[in-house]
Amino acid sequence: MVVNMLPEPLITADGFCIVQELSAFCITKARFCPANKNKGFGGYIVMLTSLSLVFLLGMLLSQAFQKIRLPGLLGMLLTGMILGPYALNMLDASILGISADLRQIALIIILTRAGLSLDIQDLKKVGRPAILMCFVPACFEIVGMVLLAPRLLGISMLDAAVMGAVVGAVSPAVIVPKMLNLMEKGYGVRKSIPQMILAGASVDDVFVIVMFTAFTGLAQGGRFSAGSVLSIPVSIGTGIAVGGVTGVLLARFFQKIHIRDSAKVVILLSISFLMIDLENRLKGCLPFSGLLAVMSIGIALQRKRHEAAARLSVKYSKLWVAAEVLLFVLVGATVDIRYAWEAGAAAVILIFGVLIFRMAGVFCCLLKTELNRKERFFCMIAYMPKATVQAAIGGVPLAMGLGCGKIVLTVAVLAILITAPLGAFGMERTYKRLLKADCP
């Protein structure tokens, strides 16, 4: 009798089993990676060794930093910087070749978990501030960059606008897990503070990326069209609508056809991947935000099938254990520390200067709300971290051949190194003092 001893990663409900899933995904992608056309099976062994180093060293340094009361993500970023191509160069080319895909998967996991945990009624209670937080802080930061960068770095106002669009996005990967943790612990829940920050951070990226596209088009000699501005609400609306409808259909499907939660996770992940692919296919035809659609699927499931959504959220929280390590280590691997050394004090001053503008934007969003001074200050701290968007688009102006490309990349690197740990540390150390603990 032959006994099947192969593990079933999702069915085990063990969060670390996503390593096996991601390894299989990497091997599949690596077969089609140009860098590996002439590699034998040994190439895959190197790639799997790289994955092992990512997870083992990432978790080790994360725990080490937490022991000294620093954010664990700082250890993960440091792991990526050490293992990456700009230091020890111990990550296989196949991993780096699909780094953007893997980071996207990690973002999908955390945004789906956010949607499954987010009650839309809480956002309705917040009202106006939740909408303003989606774009006002980013606008303030871009304006701050346009005012300060020409004086500190000697660049043009248009180059400063491009830089502001790169730096202006907050990092959902840093903010969303922290807000979910606060919701579980019950801090600020009565006034819907974590929910408001979570939703605002998710939409903020859509706004900033559209502005980045518009500014880089201007820098290449194009014109700023009304269509660029209109694409912002259209992409948000289509993303929410398609995701909401998909979520409702999934809720009905899960109600009529009883399948185990592990299979639901596989279905949900697959549909999420299709949403991201749909965004890429619709570029140039219809503005559409795949990540907002992913989050909206989770929200719709939470409304229609609350108990099932709660169980799925637990599954996704286990997936996030490994996905978090993968995301931040790979973000760290994109950081070329040489650019940070070349930046000088002026770039560091600029980063802190535009952060003040961003915090002022958050403060304006919260005027005439029931939040007290401490709670408003926490919101200002929570809106500081930057990582994923800067890692994704920081090098684009340089690749496009823009004259400001190198300095934009330098400031993007600095923004990650300064604001990601600073914001995470600030949230971790202040939430008990600045927010009230309510019943979760």
Side-chain angles (χ1 to χ4, degrees), residues 134-157:
C134 296
F135 65 93
V136 171
C139 287
F140 269 69
E141 188 163 6
I142 292 172
V143 170
M145 188 69 78
V146 170
L147 292 175
L148 297 178
R151 292 171 174 79
L152 291 171
L153 301 179
I155 61 178
S156 69
M157 293 183 70

Side-chain angles (χ1 to χ4, degrees), residues 368-382:
K368 297 184 180 180
T369 64
E370 63 175 356
L371 273 62
N372 59 39
R373 269 188 249 175
K374 288 183 177 180
E375 291 164 338
R376 293 181 190 187
F377 185 55
F378 177 81
C379 293
M380 292 158 70
I381 294 172

Side-chain angles (χ1 to χ4, degrees), residues 116 246-261 263-269 271 297 301 305 308-309 311-312:
L116 292 168
T246 305
V248 171
L249 293 175
L250 274 177
R252 291 180 180 176
F253 175 76
F254 292 153
Q255 187 175 16
K256 292 183 178 180
I257 301 177
H258 297 283
I259 54 177
R260 60 189 307 158
D261 290 337
K264 291 175 184 174
V265 170
V266 174
I267 293 170
L268 200 49
L269 276 174
I271 291 175
I297 291 172
L301 277 172
R305 299 275 292 163
R311 296 196 306 271
L312 290 174

Side-chain angles (χ1 to χ4, degrees), residues 150-199:
R151 292 171 174 79
L152 291 171
L153 301 179
I155 61 178
S156 69
M157 293 183 70
L158 180 56
D159 290 344
V162 172
M163 185 181 293
V166 171
V167 177
V170 294
S171 175
V174 179
I175 294 174
V176 171
K178 294 289 182 185
M179 295 305 107
L180 290 173
N181 184 252
L182 292 184
M183 289 163 64
E184 291 169 359
K185 293 180 178 178
Y187 280 90
V189 172
R190 188 180 67 80
K191 294 184 180 180
S192 301
I193 294 171
Q195 296 93 319
M196 175 184 66
I197 295 171
L198 187 155

Side-chain angles (χ1 to χ4, degrees), residues 355-424:
L355 277 181
I356 293 172
F357 274 84
R358 170 171 279 276
M359 295 173 83
V362 174
F363 180 81
C364 290
C365 293
L366 302 177
L367 290 174
K368 297 184 180 180
T369 64
E370 63 175 356
L371 273 62
N372 59 39
R373 269 188 249 175
K374 288 183 177 180
E375 291 164 338
R376 293 181 190 187
F377 185 55
F378 177 81
C379 293
M380 292 158 70
I381 294 172
Y383 243 52
M384 288 170 53
K386 305 169 189 301
T388 41
V389 174
Q390 289 70 31
I393 67 174
V396 172
L398 185 61
M400 294 170 69
L402 298 181
C404 63
K406 187 173 181 180
I407 188 64
V408 168
L409 179 58
T410 300
V411 173
V413 168
L414 273 178
I416 295 172
L417 294 176
I418 293 172
T419 64
L422 184 63

Side-chain angles (χ1 to χ4, degrees), residues 88-327:
L88 298 182
N89 195 23
M90 294 180 68
L91 297 180
D92 191 59
S94 58
I95 293 290
L96 298 174
I98 60 170
S99 174
D101 293 319
L102 295 175
R103 296 200 305 266
Q104 192 83 280
I105 290 172
L107 272 179
I108 286 170
I109 289 171
I110 193 57
L111 287 178
T112 305
R113 184 185 165 203
L116 292 168
S117 306
L118 188 61
D119 189 344
I120 200 68
Q121 296 301 323
D122 292 332
L123 285 181
K124 288 182 178 179
K125 286 192 296 183
V126 177
R128 174 185 57 86
I131 297 173
L132 294 178
M133 291 281 278
C134 296
F135 65 93
V136 171
C139 287
F140 269 69
E141 188 163 6
I142 292 172
V143 170
M145 188 69 78
V146 170
L147 292 175
L148 297 178
R151 292 171 174 79
L152 291 171
L153 301 179
I155 61 178
S156 69
M157 293 183 70
L158 180 56
D159 290 344
V162 172
M163 185 181 293
V166 171
V167 177
V170 294
S171 175
V174 179
I175 294 174
V176 171
K178 294 289 182 185
M179 295 305 107
L180 290 173
N181 184 252
L182 292 184
M183 289 163 64
E184 291 169 359
K185 293 180 178 178
Y187 280 90
V189 172
R190 188 180 67 80
K191 294 184 180 180
S192 301
I193 294 171
Q195 296 93 319
M196 175 184 66
I197 295 171
L198 187 155
S202 303
V203 180
D204 172 274
D205 286 1
V206 178
F207 172 77
V208 170
I209 289 172
V210 172
M211 296 303 293
F212 171 75
T213 304
F215 289 139
T216 50
L218 276 176
Q220 286 185 309
R223 300 173 64 183
F224 194 89
S225 64
S228 300
V229 179
L230 286 175
S231 66
I232 298 171
V234 172
S235 63
I236 293 171
T238 53
I240 292 173
V242 173
V245 171
T246 305
V248 171
L249 293 175
L250 274 177
R252 291 180 180 176
F253 175 76
F254 292 153
Q255 187 175 16
K256 292 183 178 180
I257 301 177
H258 297 283
I259 54 177
R260 60 189 307 158
D261 290 337
S262 300
K264 291 175 184 174
V265 170
V266 174
I267 293 170
L268 200 49
L269 276 174
S270 301
I271 291 175
S272 299
F273 297 160
L274 290 175
M275 290 295 168
I276 301 300
D277 182 62
L278 182 62
E279 177 181 358
N280 294 329
R281 291 178 183 273
L282 289 177
K283 275 183 182 176
C285 301
L286 177 68
F288 176 76
S289 172
L291 289 177
L292 271 185
V294 168
M295 189 172 175
S296 299
I297 291 172
I299 293 173
L301 277 172
Q302 199 273 344
R303 290 200 70 186
K304 297 296 181 180
R305 299 275 292 163
H306 180 73
E307 291 182 1
R311 296 196 306 271
L312 290 174
S313 181
V314 172
K315 293 279 187 181
Y316 270 87
S317 68
K318 292 175 180 178
L319 292 178
W320 178 243
V321 172
E324 180 185 28
V325 179
L326 192 63
L327 173 63

